[in-house]
């Protein structure tokens, strides 16, 4: 999946209308673009929804912005891009890079903001793919647990072998046009003590 084809959400935290417009020009394929002018407003916004990318332009009206960036990095899977004046760049890069926060100095060279956003969006694509794979694995493990429980009940209640119980659940699922998990759940509901 290319970065421009993905639908991501972004939060831009800046008091500067000029920087807000520059950042927005670098965005392609973002489903949601929210804007806040202070760290406190951004924190409230983050409590209400999740974002794939959060761009913070320092300094903010109520704090520098590095504390906000650290909070986000520690408490979410959002990618964070911190834009800072050149005189703070080295200090903030040193303290934030190990937390997975990308720091860019302003004024930035042509194209560097766009490349940073593309990089972080690509990273989010990978995170989403891993989350999806993890969810699929968890669903399969849950199905195995339920089917195993149904097999145990068939062995106990119907004196079947494990192979017979396995085939019985498969046949029941096929006959009723349901998944093996659903067939196992029906057996558990029928024979499990309440």
């Amino acid at each position: 999946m290319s970065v421009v084809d993905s639908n991501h959400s972004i939060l831009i935290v800046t008091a500067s209308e000029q920087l807000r417009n520059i950042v927005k020009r670098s965005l392609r394929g973002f489903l949601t673009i929210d804007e806040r002018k202070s760290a406190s407003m951004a924190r409230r916004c983050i409590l209400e929804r999740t974002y794939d990318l959060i761009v913070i332009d320092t300094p903010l009206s109520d704090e520098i912005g590095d504390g906000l960036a650290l909070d986000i990095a520690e408490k979410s899977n959002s990618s964070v891009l911190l834009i800072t004046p050149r005189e703070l760049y080295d200090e903030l890069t040193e303290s934030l890079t190990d937390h997975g926060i990308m720091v860019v100095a302003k004024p930035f060279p042509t194209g560097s903001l766009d490349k940073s956003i593309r990089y972080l969006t690509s990273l989010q694509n990978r995170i989403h793919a891993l989350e999806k794979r993890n969810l699929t694995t968890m669903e399969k493990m849950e199905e195995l647990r339920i089917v195993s429980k149904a097999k145990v009940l068939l062995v106990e209640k119907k004196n079947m072998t494990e192979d017979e119980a396995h085939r019985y659940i498969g046949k029941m699922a096929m006959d009723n046009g349901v998944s093996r998990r659903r067939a196992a759940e029906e057996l558990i509901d029928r024979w499990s003590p309440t």
Side-chain angles (χ1 to χ4, degrees):
M1 174 188 301
S2 77
V3 173
V4 294
D5 293 335
S6 54
N7 291 316
H8 292 281
S9 57
I10 185 170
L11 174 62
I12 303 169
V13 187
T14 182
S16 165
E17 186 70 34
Q18 180 183 7
L19 188 89
R20 185 177 302 117
N21 291 333
I22 292 170
V23 171
K24 286 172 107 174
R25 278 194 302 260
S26 294
L27 303 177
R28 290 184 296 266
F30 282 83
L31 186 62
T32 303
I33 302 172
D34 290 335
E35 303 168 13
R36 296 297 180 266
K37 293 183 178 185
S38 69
S40 59
M41 291 170 69
R43 283 187 172 92
R44 282 193 296 274
C45 191
I46 293 165
L47 289 173
E48 296 171 6
R49 69 165 300 161
T50 58
Y51 293 94
D52 296 301
L53 175 61
I54 300 175
V55 177
I56 303 168
D57 174 33
T58 65
L60 298 169
S61 60
D62 52 352
E63 67 175 69
I64 290 177
D66 57 335
L68 174 62
L70 283 169
D71 286 348
I72 294 165
E74 290 173 2
K75 297 175 184 170
S76 75
N77 287 335
S78 300
S79 292
V80 181
L81 175 62
L82 188 79
I83 302 170
T84 185
R86 191 155 306 279
E87 60 271 10
L88 295 175
Y89 175 78
D90 290 334
E91 176 187 341
L92 291 175
T93 299
E94 183 64 32
S95 65
L96 299 177
T97 299
D98 290 341
H99 297 277
I101 299 167
M102 182 177 279
V103 181
V104 175
K106 60 182 173 183
F108 27 81
T110 304
S112 69
L113 179 63
D114 184 53
K115 287 175 187 165
S116 297
I117 289 172
R118 286 176 41 216
Y119 174 80
L120 292 174
T121 305
S122 174
L123 186 61
Q124 280 298 310
N125 289 340
R126 294 181 73 172
I127 290 171
H128 289 307
L130 288 171
E131 287 173 340
K132 186 176 180 181
R133 251 185 283 167
N134 186 37
L135 184 60
T136 301
T137 301
M138 289 173 34
E139 288 170 349
K140 287 179 183 177
M141 288 177 62
E142 180 64 10
E143 180 179 334
L144 284 173
R145 186 190 68 75
I146 291 169
V147 170
S148 293
K149 184 175 180 179
K151 284 183 194 178
V152 168
L153 284 171
L154 287 171
V155 168
E156 290 175 357
K157 305 284 185 188
K158 294 285 203 172
N159 296 321
M160 292 182 180
T161 66
E162 185 180 347
D163 285 341
E164 290 170 334
H166 181 80
R167 284 191 298 275
Y168 183 85
I169 293 169
K171 183 173 180 344
M172 183 180 169
M174 191 168 47
D175 290 348
N176 294 324
V178 296
S179 67
R180 290 176 49 79
R181 177 182 177 154
R182 184 67 203 127
E185 288 170 339
E186 289 176 17
L187 290 171
I188 292 168
D189 289 344
R190 188 181 319 152
W191 288 327
S192 203
T194 53

